[in-house]
Amino acid sequence: MGALVGMTEDVLESDEMDRYLDRFAQRIPIGKTTLVSHLWEDSRLSVNTALQPFGAQVTRLDTDLELLGADRRAEAELDKEISQDETYLKHSVNAARADWKTNVDELKAKRDQTGERLKTPISHQKQRYETWLSSERKKLTDWQAGIAANRDQKKNERIEHRIADQEKQLAEVNQHLRAV
């Protein structure tokens, strides 16, 4: 059952992604080339710098948010349909009442599925952010440890250099005293 639900969710996401890409493709001007890339960036600088020699216009879209917007619109449309059908249900007679009730229940189930899909991208975004933040914290900790180790190494080198200078001076004084 879980696999079936997962597959259904993947198909729905895939269908929505196809519709999104179709809408996106319609916005590409005739005679222009578009490069679509799915990536996670620590910084916008690297992509901008790489594409600068080509005179490229870089536009970033968060597909999760784009799809989220489509799901929100679908959810609002379902809410509107539910409201209308509930009005019809209140004013219906016994024969049609069961049909309207079934219709309202199906619309509510569909809306609930859409609501669940809305939760997924948000948790996915949060998880990606937490992973990125954890990675950046580790980089900072490693960098700080490197600085501390470098500082300690330089301090040790200075001390060893001073000791060597003192030993050299002591040897010179010793040599001078022997000569006298």
Side-chain angles (χ1 to χ4, degrees):
M1 187 64 161
L4 180 60
V5 169
M7 281 181 12
T8 303
E9 196 171 295
D10 290 345
V11 167
L12 290 173
E13 276 185 35
S14 174
D15 287 346
E16 186 57 41
M17 180 60 81
D18 287 346
R19 285 191 290 276
Y20 169 74
L21 289 174
D22 288 342
R23 289 190 310 269
F24 179 79
Q26 291 171 355
R27 293 187 281 179
I28 301 170
I30 295 173
K32 296 289 182 176
T33 301
T34 298
L35 170 67
V36 177
S37 176
H38 183 203
L39 51 97
W40 288 313
E41 300 178 286
D42 286 339
S43 164
R44 294 174 173 227
L45 187 61
S46 57
V47 172
N48 291 356
T49 302
L51 295 176
Q52 188 176 19
F54 303 103
Q57 176 186 352
V58 178
T59 303
R60 287 174 173 80
L61 298 173
D62 187 325
T63 53
D64 287 340
L65 293 178
E66 291 287 326
L67 294 174
L68 186 66
D71 282 341
R72 288 199 191 279
R73 287 188 297 277
E75 188 177 42
E77 191 63 37
L78 286 168
D79 283 339
K80 185 177 165 184
E81 284 183 57
I82 289 168
S83 179
Q84 284 177 336
D85 287 2
E86 283 177 337
T87 302
Y88 294 141
L89 177 62
K90 282 182 191 176
H91 298 92
S92 63
V93 290
N94 291 342
R97 190 172 196 77
D99 290 339
W100 284 115
K101 173 78 172 116
T102 300
N103 199 33
V104 167
D105 290 344
E106 287 172 359
L107 287 171
K108 285 182 178 180
K110 194 173 180 181
R111 181 192 58 197
D112 291 345
Q113 286 176 339
T114 303
E116 286 302 312
R117 282 200 323 262
L118 285 170
K119 291 177 188 174
T120 302
I122 292 168
S123 65
H124 181 66
Q125 286 279 15
K126 184 177 178 183
Q127 182 183 20
R128 281 186 5 202
Y129 174 74
E130 291 295 332
T131 301
W132 173 82
L133 190 58
S134 175
S135 169
E136 292 303 307
R137 283 184 179 139
K138 183 178 179 344
K139 287 179 191 176
L140 179 61
T141 303
D142 291 348
W143 179 73
Q144 288 171 333
I147 288 175
N150 192 22
R151 187 179 328 122
D152 290 345
Q153 182 181 357
K154 286 184 180 184
K155 184 178 179 181
N156 287 343
E157 287 172 1
R158 283 194 312 269
I159 291 171
E160 288 173 9
H161 185 31
R162 274 197 228 152
I163 291 171
D165 282 348
Q166 293 297 321
E167 287 175 344
K168 183 179 173 186
Q169 286 178 5
L170 183 61
E172 288 174 2
V173 168
N174 233 354
Q175 190 178 23
H176 180 67
L177 289 175
R178 283 188 194 156
V180 177

